[in-house]
Amino acid sequence: MPQITVEKNSRTFKKDGKDFFYLADTCWSAFTNITIEEWEYYLNLRKYQGFNVIQINILPQWDASGTELNYSPLPYKDEKAKIFDFTEFNEEYFKHARLMCEIAKDKGFDLALVVLWCNYVPNTWASKMLSSNVMPYEFIEKYIGKVHETFSDLEPIYIISGDTDIDTEETKKYYLRAAEDLRKKAPDLLQTLHIKGRLDVIPEEFIDVIDFYMYQSGHNAENPAMPYLLAESFYTKYPAKPIINAEPCYEQMGYSRQMYGRFYQFDVRRAAWMSVLSGACAGITYGAHGIYSWHKIGKSFGMGLGEGFDSPNSWNDAIKYPGAWDYGHLKYMLEMYGVNELVPLNKVLNPTKDIRMAATKNLDEMFIYVPINTNIKVDEDLSGYDIKIIDLEHKNVCNPNVKIADGKTIIQMHNFEKDALIVIKR
């Protein structure tokens, strides 16, 4: 099977020798909460929408919704409190997880599997609040062996950490051990870290271990610039590798810190385009509140810990949120224009950083994301280019009025009601 690869000093992915744009959906709780029938329905729709990767937590997601299914990777030493006995494995769990992965692969998806979410590792923000299922260090070797045996021939990406702040030597020791053991067993499979929201720090010990960077701009409404600020940081601070915003705000997720409000279609679309045009051009991940935890009517949600998100709608409502189609449209647009790597440009002269601009290396195509309608002034003579404005809500296209003088271009306001993408083609 062709697998996703990264060439040295490249900011993009390849698969089977061709450019590959990583468009993932977040389904952290797949192995514990989803029936096979539901899984088939979910995958079919996401395939229609253009997704090609599914992000899943190998171990139970700590804030998954309640479920009547009885899938547990390990026996319990306290079943009521759901405390694991880290000795042996429940083979049926891994058979079920393997089957779900095989179904996804048969439908054309690649897998991005989280190895150790932060609550399973000591001295992370989550394990400090919920320490009952921290994995013993001596069990890591056995666990990694099981992960490799179950999944590696399916050629997944291994996301070594999940939502992790890597602040202590003990935490680093866990993740380095997991990464090193997997690298020995599956040397050709890509590895990365999924780090804590709004964080841009990768410990030096991991820079040469991981193959690409994941950040999460997250679900905090007080930080709307995070999608592009983090992309800029990773682009300028670290050696050249692919960059992905692997957890932007999820559609209809309640604002973090129990702040009243939710993110809607415009918000998640804004986060995607801002990320991709600011350095994180290798791909983007979508998330829907109610899908990542696979919520069902009448079931519990969350644990009252961490970011404290408001309740989700059920999965069969959440799967129909319109933002997923916008993410597929983003991928389609880049493929339609034959775009692989995008280089961020600082040529917009408007007094805001929220308008994002990027171009191909040869400057044959340029893109400007305009979240709020205004005249756009560009520090470039664009007289040799065709300029179109695409309404990102309804996908209508307009031919704008353009004025060029003194080596600068003014692209005049469109008359669409929401955000727009300006496409500039030589």
Side-chain angles (χ1 to χ4, degrees), residues 251-315:
E251 193 163 6
Q252 293 210 25
M253 176 79 99
Y255 297 158
S256 67
R257 311 291 169 85
Q258 300 181 335
M259 181 179 173
Y260 180 65
R262 292 181 187 267
F263 296 102
Y264 290 98
Q265 181 181 6
F266 166 78
D267 304 294
V268 300
R269 185 171 63 228
R270 174 187 181 276
W273 279 106
M274 283 184 167
S275 301
V276 169
L277 298 188
S278 303
C281 68
I284 189 72
T285 299
Y286 172 77
H289 199 34
I291 293 297
Y292 85 87
S293 67
W294 208 258
H295 192 68
K296 296 183 180 180
I297 294 172
K299 296 300 180 183
S300 61
F301 167 71
M303 307 179 68
L305 301 172
E307 297 273 26
F309 303 117
D310 207 344
S311 299
N313 288 319
S314 63
W315 75 268

Side-chain angles (χ1 to χ4, degrees), residues 341-384:
E341 181 176 347
L342 284 169
V343 179
L345 293 182
N346 188 26
K347 288 182 174 289
V348 174
L349 298 176
N350 296 57
T352 175
K353 291 194 70 178
D354 285 358
I355 299 171
R356 310 305 301 171
M357 184 176 185
T360 54
K361 284 185 174 181
N362 58 13
L363 300 183
D364 280 349
E365 289 91 15
M366 304 181 193
F367 302 89
I368 303 174
Y369 175 71
V370 187
I372 297 171
N373 195 9
T374 188
N375 294 327
I376 304 299
K377 189 172 185 179
V378 181
D379 190 14
E380 186 80 24
D381 183 332
L382 298 177
S383 56

Side-chain angles (χ1 to χ4, degrees), residues 134-141 170 173-178:
V134 170
M135 183 178 290
Y137 181 78
E138 58 272 15
F139 191 72
I140 293 175
E141 181 180 7
E170 188 174 20
K173 180 181 175 183
Y174 265 68
Y175 284 124
L176 282 171
R177 176 64 187 276

Side-chain angles (χ1 to χ4, degrees), residues 3 31 58-59 89 91 94 97-98 101-102 111 113-115 139-158 160 177-191:
Q3 69 182 86
F31 295 160
I58 294 175
L59 297 175
F89 300 104
E91 295 298 329
F94 288 93
R98 166 79 188 196
C101 290
E102 289 174 345
L111 305 163
L113 304 178
V114 178
V115 177
F139 191 72
I140 293 175
E141 181 180 7
K142 189 172 185 178
Y143 170 61
I144 294 300
K146 190 64 178 176
V147 168
H148 171 69
E149 169 193 303
T150 306
F151 302 111
S152 287
D153 67 307
L154 299 175
E155 298 178 331
I157 291 170
Y158 282 123
I160 302 300
R177 176 64 187 276
E180 289 166 358
D181 282 5
L182 266 174
R183 187 67 78 189
K184 289 175 185 175
K185 294 177 182 296
D188 297 327
L189 300 185
L190 298 184
Q191 293 188 14

Side-chain angles (χ1 to χ4, degrees), residues 3-15 20 22 157 188-192 210-213 240-244 282:
Q3 69 182 86
I4 304 171
T5 60
V6 175
E7 296 174 352
K8 188 175 178 60
N9 298 321
S10 173
R11 295 194 180 274
T12 59
F13 295 110
K14 295 281 188 183
K15 183 177 179 181
F20 181 85
Y22 177 112
I157 291 170
D188 297 327
L189 300 185
L190 298 184
Q191 293 188 14
T192 189
I210 60 176
D211 299 294
F212 65 98
Y213 310 114
K241 295 180 183 183
I243 306 168
I244 292 171

Side-chain angles (χ1 to χ4, degrees), residues 397-417:
V397 180
C398 106
N399 298 297
N401 292 314
V402 177
K403 293 184 177 180
I404 299 173
D406 301 323
K408 296 175 175 54
T409 301
I410 296 177
I411 304 169
Q412 295 188 346
M413 287 173 56
H414 56 77
N415 58 359
F416 304 133
E417 294 183 0

